[in-house]
Amino acid sequence: LVWLKKDLRLHDHSPLSLVAREGGNRQCIIIYLYEPDQLGEKTVHGSHVAFVNEGLVDLDLKLLGEEHTILCKTENGATIPKLSGGRINNQNHMQQVSEAIYRHEFKCITVCHAGAAFTFSSIHKKRPIHQILCHMESGHLKSFSRDKQVRRWCRANNVPIREFDQTGVTRCLQNRDDFSKKFHKFLNQKIVETPTASELAQMRQSRLLDLEKEHIKLHGKCNTPMNPTDLCEIPIEHRGDRIERQYGGETKALETFNSFLSHRGANYSYGISSPNTSWTTGSRLSPYLTWGNISLRYVIVATREKQEELRAAQKKKSGSNPVKNNPWLRSLASFQSRMHWRSHFIQKLETQPSLECQDQ
């Protein structure tokens, strides 16, 4: 069982890669849960759920072997325009995008509105779970409590759970001084290979569990994405969407990152200090990293390769007199530093979860 959480992507995804590339006839299920206890956390907003839904649809289409396009057809045949800068521009545009997303029927991902341990127990009673594969996440206290509940269920039912690192953060780190060494070890690991089209096709055709054929009925099963306006766990005043937010999903995440490395990042170190310029010179990757639409390791490694490319080009151009203070290199060095500090502070929260509710 692959348990998707904040990792809705296909690249550098250890659980999905293992399942798709594994031989044999063992069946698998890929599951995402709208968890009532997590949705009830006070920081959750309807725009977060809408962003997740876009990532779910994007990933489901990729697992199906189809490319996700923002050019969707509405019921009257009209075409939704491409998102400008990855943003939803106005109320009408938001409505059009939402209609397309909420009509999508999940084919590869099993989606339920239910708790994790409860859902795993329901599946296990019908088809014993061999192991659970997921990514480790460091979140708020409610997600930490959920993770402990799931591990207790796994121990009680003799179901192994493998949590893969995706942020360079170490659970139960004994000494915070060891963080940098472990973080760099994580970065130096090979990026997980993305399953090929033939591997995904083989998984879909012969190994993906068909719940209907197996007569497995899951509580709260969703055929289409859940609209946040229907989620009673979120206060009604917080269920709406936000105009001009970024569009979710791996496709848009990679497009945003590529535009940063190709041209937008050149003025990163100058532009991020002003709200007028940071809109375009900033990486715009924050929501994609938060919800796992793009891999942190992929971002850092690709940025490192861009730096090496720029240094080689600069050396070739200037010969023995290299140009000092190259703005591109300075900007990317500043960006890399922020990626490191991001994981550093997540590690601090992981090591000292009381920070969420206690003043320091």
Side-chain angles (χ1 to χ4, degrees):
L1 183 148
V2 174
W3 179 19
L4 298 174
K5 295 184 283 184
K6 292 184 176 180
D7 54 354
L8 300 178
R9 63 178 186 274
L10 197 53
H11 74 277
D12 199 25
H13 197 296
S14 295
L16 285 177
S17 181
L18 277 174
V19 167
R21 302 170 73 87
E22 183 185 67
N25 299 315
R26 181 177 288 129
Q27 290 188 297
C28 62
I29 182 170
I30 303 168
I31 196 162
Y32 179 84
L33 302 168
Y34 296 105
E35 300 170 78
D37 57 334
Q38 304 304 304
L39 292 169
E41 215 282 332
K42 61 184 179 182
T43 60
V44 175
H45 190 271
S47 59
H48 300 154
V49 179
F51 189 92
V52 167
N53 286 338
E54 289 151 5
L56 278 171
V57 171
D58 188 30
L59 180 56
D60 194 57
L61 287 169
K62 288 188 174 186
L63 292 171
L64 275 172
E66 299 178 12
E67 283 299 318
H68 182 42
T69 174
I70 308 305
L71 289 172
C72 302
K73 293 286 185 180
T74 59
E75 289 182 353
N76 61 10
T79 302
I80 296 176
K82 272 186 177 284
L83 299 175
S84 174
R87 301 194 305 272
I88 294 176
N89 301 312
N90 54 53
Q91 192 68 43
N92 183 52
H93 195 194
M94 180 186 292
Q95 183 62 30
Q96 289 180 316
V97 172
S98 295
E99 287 175 1
I101 289 296
Y102 295 117
R103 282 200 309 275
H104 175 80
E105 294 188 7
F106 294 115
K107 297 293 193 300
C108 294
I109 304 175
T110 297
V111 179
C112 297
H113 181 204
F118 175 80
T119 302
F120 299 159
S121 180
S122 299
I123 296 171
H124 192 60
K125 288 175 183 177
K126 296 287 185 178
R127 289 293 300 268
I129 298 172
H130 173 70
Q131 66 174 333
I132 295 173
L133 306 175
C134 62
H135 278 115
M136 188 189 86
E137 69 174 27
S138 299
H140 43 63
L141 290 172
K142 282 191 176 180
S143 69
F144 183 44
S145 176
R146 181 271 319 274
D147 287 346
K148 290 192 291 184
Q149 183 184 21
V150 168
R151 282 195 288 274
R152 284 196 298 271
W153 180 88
C154 288
R155 286 194 298 270
N157 291 276
N158 296 314
V159 176
I161 180 168
R162 294 179 64 187
E163 293 183 288
F164 296 86
D165 189 3
Q166 66 171 347
T167 59
V169 171
T170 303
R171 183 156 284 173
C172 300
L173 185 68
Q174 297 299 316
N175 187 340
R176 244 179 29 211
D177 291 338
D178 293 334
F179 166 72
S180 289
K181 180 173 67 176
K182 291 181 178 294
F183 181 68
H184 288 293
K185 182 179 179 181
F186 161 75
L187 293 180
N188 290 329
Q189 292 172 357
K190 186 179 178 181
I191 289 178
V192 178
E193 291 187 37
T194 302
T196 64
S198 61
E199 288 169 340
L200 290 175
Q202 176 67 18
M203 181 189 72
R204 289 193 308 270
Q205 294 163 10
S206 61
R207 299 182 51 239
L208 202 59
L209 185 67
D210 189 322
L211 295 177
E212 290 188 7
K213 286 184 179 179
E214 297 290 332
H215 305 291
I216 299 176
K217 294 184 178 180
L218 296 179
H219 177 78
K221 187 173 182 299
C222 308
N223 294 321
T224 59
M226 287 200 74
N227 195 315
T229 58
D230 299 327
L231 293 169
C232 61
E233 296 88 355
I234 303 175
I236 193 165
E237 64 272 18
H238 293 159
R239 294 180 198 173
D241 208 339
R242 289 189 172 106
I243 297 173
E244 295 202 352
R245 69 166 173 83
Q246 290 173 264
Y247 188 91
E250 180 182 24
T251 298
K252 208 65 199 174
L254 293 173
E255 181 183 312
T256 302
F257 181 49
N258 289 337
S259 72
F260 177 73
L261 282 189
S262 66
H263 58 279
R264 290 191 300 105
N267 296 313
Y268 176 81
S269 60
Y270 296 106
I272 57 171
S273 60
S274 168
N276 295 321
T277 54
S278 61
W279 192 267
T280 52
T281 59
S283 73
R284 310 291 291 161
L285 291 180
S286 180
Y288 300 119
L289 288 166
T290 297
W291 296 100
N293 293 162
I294 195 168
S295 153
L296 175 73
R297 179 164 51 197
Y298 173 79
V299 167
I300 292 177
V301 170
T303 304
R304 188 185 295 163
E305 290 174 355
K306 178 69 174 181
Q307 289 173 298
E308 292 171 358
E309 176 190 319
L310 289 169
R311 289 190 189 102
Q314 178 178 286
K315 185 176 180 181
K316 184 177 180 181
K317 185 177 180 180
S318 59
S320 59
N321 299 307
V323 178
K324 293 184 178 181
N325 297 323
N326 182 303
W328 246 119
L329 288 171
R330 186 166 57 252
S331 288
L332 293 183
S334 178
F335 174 69
Q336 290 282 53
S337 176
R338 281 169 171 79
M339 291 299 98
H340 181 279
W341 281 107
R342 179 182 185 275
S343 288
H344 170 86
F345 285 112
I346 294 175
Q347 181 68 66
K348 189 171 183 179
L349 183 64
E350 172 69 34
T351 306
Q352 193 178 352
S354 61
L355 285 170
E356 180 181 332
C357 53
Q358 292 179 2
D359 293 335
Q360 299 298 309

